[in-house]
Amino acid sequence: MALAPLTDRARVAERWWLWPLALWAVSRLVSTAFLGAFAGVQERSHWTPAQPDLLDYSTMWDAHWYYIVAVSGYPVELPRGDDGHVGENAWAFMPVYPMLARLLMLSGLPWEGAAVLLSVGASAAFSLVAYRLFQDLAPGRERFALALVLLSPVAPVLQLGYAESLFLLLLAGTLLAWRRRAWEWLWVLIPIMSLTRPGGLALALALGLWFLVRWWRERDGFPVGERWMLVGLGAWSALWGFGWLIACTIVTGSPGSYLETELSWRSAYIGRQELVPFTPWPIGLEWWFGGWWPVWLVGIVGAAVALLAGPWARGVALEGRLWTIAYFAYLAAVWFPQSSTWRLLMPAFPAALILAAVRPAWARGILLAASIALQPVWIWFCWHHNAPDWTVP
């Protein structure tokens, strides 16, 4: 018996991958054009000669730390300054990305080629997984939301020698597994994700919040087996959230080595201070804006609340909103605000689904155009090296 021909809608659904890959290709052409233009006017820097080629230009800044990890691993003895404090070192950079790049280098690729190839490949895979995730979280908003992510002001980092593309791919896969209740995938993805970029503690908080919401809403309809599954996954995620700290402690023999390493990066701004949760933002905003810091803090918190509690957020599934809330809470607890903040906001990419509900259509067009226009601004101020340069990417 002959099969009935596919309807136009069925054909589109069968080729769902065409849109995200086409959008990814366009977005990479845009970012590559901007990066190439800036590489052509780059002066000699710590990492490159004047007017470097695109690969060299794409592996500046922290990409050099990933290179050190890829070829030398991690130090057993930590560098210390004259004051006895731990200095900047490779332990601040997690191992999955540089180790995968090292595997690519076994084929004969130089570090620069391996790092960029890994980031570009991961960004393409991310576009596919994020599109599927967006379809599940807010059907009908997935196309514009993905465009907003791939063409965002910090989108050039998706093809640089940084771990962001790989982390976003793993995060999108983790959130999709959570949304579809594919628990077995979460047990596997959480450790890999947590050893690529910090995210395990935020995910543990998101799962905990989801547990509480379901307990409140469903009561007897919340299966006992699923409750225990969530408790186990939350504990698993929290464990791996501290996993790199534990590894650093075991190898170096110093319980505070990882935290001291991380704090060394902010010491150039505010000197050596202990990490007290939820104090870095007031301290940082005061450093940046002086006595006006409370106004900025209220404005930032108000903007986050308006985004996540406003009417546009209601069309986004609970998992996407809870992850964004948990990740913002994680940044509020530990992150010192500086020029890398824009890059650190990328894991909150499900928030693009909220912005995708902006009406009318011309307002969305302005939002997307502004995102693209801000790409060269981000490159100039955060990636392009203008000595003396303190606006790190």
Side-chain angles (χ1 to χ4, degrees), residues 42-43 61 379-391:
Q42 174 64 61
E43 297 178 356
W61 297 97
I379 295 171
W380 175 254
F381 283 103
C382 293
W383 188 260
H384 197 79
H385 187 260
N386 300 287
D389 201 331
W390 49 270
T391 54

Side-chain angles (χ1 to χ4, degrees), residues 296-310 313 321 324-325 328-329 332 345 351 354:
W296 282 91
L297 185 61
V298 170
I300 292 169
V301 173
V305 171
L307 177 70
L308 295 169
R321 284 179 284 154
T324 306
I325 291 169
F328 282 170
L345 290 173
I354 301 174

Side-chain angles (χ1 to χ4, degrees), residues 96-363:
V96 173
Y97 176 81
M99 291 300 102
L100 288 177
R102 177 61 184 264
L103 287 177
L104 289 175
M105 291 169 68
L106 296 178
S107 68
L109 283 173
W111 156 254
E112 294 80 6
V116 171
L117 178 61
L118 178 56
S119 292
V120 169
S123 69
F126 165 70
S127 70
L128 295 171
V129 180
Y131 187 77
R132 280 303 209 191
L133 173 66
F134 286 171
Q135 284 182 316
D136 279 23
L137 292 178
R141 300 185 188 182
E142 62 273 8
R143 291 192 173 187
F144 183 77
L146 186 62
L148 207 54
V149 174
L150 295 180
L151 291 165
S152 68
V154 293
V157 81
L158 295 175
Q159 64 191 74
L160 303 176
Y162 275 46
E164 263 65 23
S165 288
L166 184 60
F167 178 71
L168 291 179
L169 168 61
L170 294 165
L171 174 59
T174 298
L175 296 178
L176 185 60
W178 174 16
R179 173 65 179 165
R180 296 187 175 182
R181 314 298 186 260
W183 309 122
E184 66 280 4
W185 277 103
L186 284 175
W187 293 104
V188 175
L189 286 171
I190 286 172
I192 304 171
M193 180 191 76
S194 299
L195 293 177
T196 303
R197 290 278 305 155
L201 294 179
L203 183 64
L205 175 58
L207 292 173
L209 292 174
W210 195 55
F211 181 98
L212 293 175
V213 171
R214 293 194 60 192
W215 179 281
W216 177 257
R217 289 181 177 177
E218 300 178 29
R219 304 294 175 108
D220 296 336
F222 189 6
V224 173
E226 197 165 336
R227 296 179 194 177
W228 283 110
M229 179 66 73
L230 284 175
V231 170
L233 284 169
W236 183 243
S237 190
L239 173 64
W240 283 102
F242 288 107
W244 194 235
L245 181 152
I246 295 170
C248 185
T249 298
I250 292 172
V251 172
T252 64
S254 173
S257 55
Y258 178 73
L259 280 181
E260 281 199 70
T261 295
E262 290 289 356
L263 291 173
S264 66
W265 260 267
R266 68 182 64 172
S267 64
Y269 296 88
I270 57 173
R272 287 285 175 169
Q273 296 187 15
E274 296 296 324
L275 175 61
V276 179
F278 297 102
T279 62
W281 279 83
I283 293 171
L285 291 175
E286 184 178 19
W287 188 89
W288 286 100
F289 303 110
W292 289 95
W293 74 265
V295 177
W296 282 91
L297 185 61
V298 170
I300 292 169
V301 173
V305 171
L307 177 70
L308 295 169
W312 296 334
R314 294 170 193 160
V316 180
L318 188 59
E319 294 89 343
R321 284 179 284 154
L322 288 180
W323 161 256
T324 306
I325 291 169
Y327 186 70
F328 282 170
Y330 170 77
L331 289 184
V334 303
W335 179 248
F336 177 83
Q338 35 95 349
S339 52
S340 295
T341 302
W342 309 112
R343 176 172 57 87
L344 268 289
L345 290 173
M346 292 190 78
F349 69 89
L353 289 166
I354 301 174
L355 297 176
V358 171
R359 296 292 184 273
W362 59 262

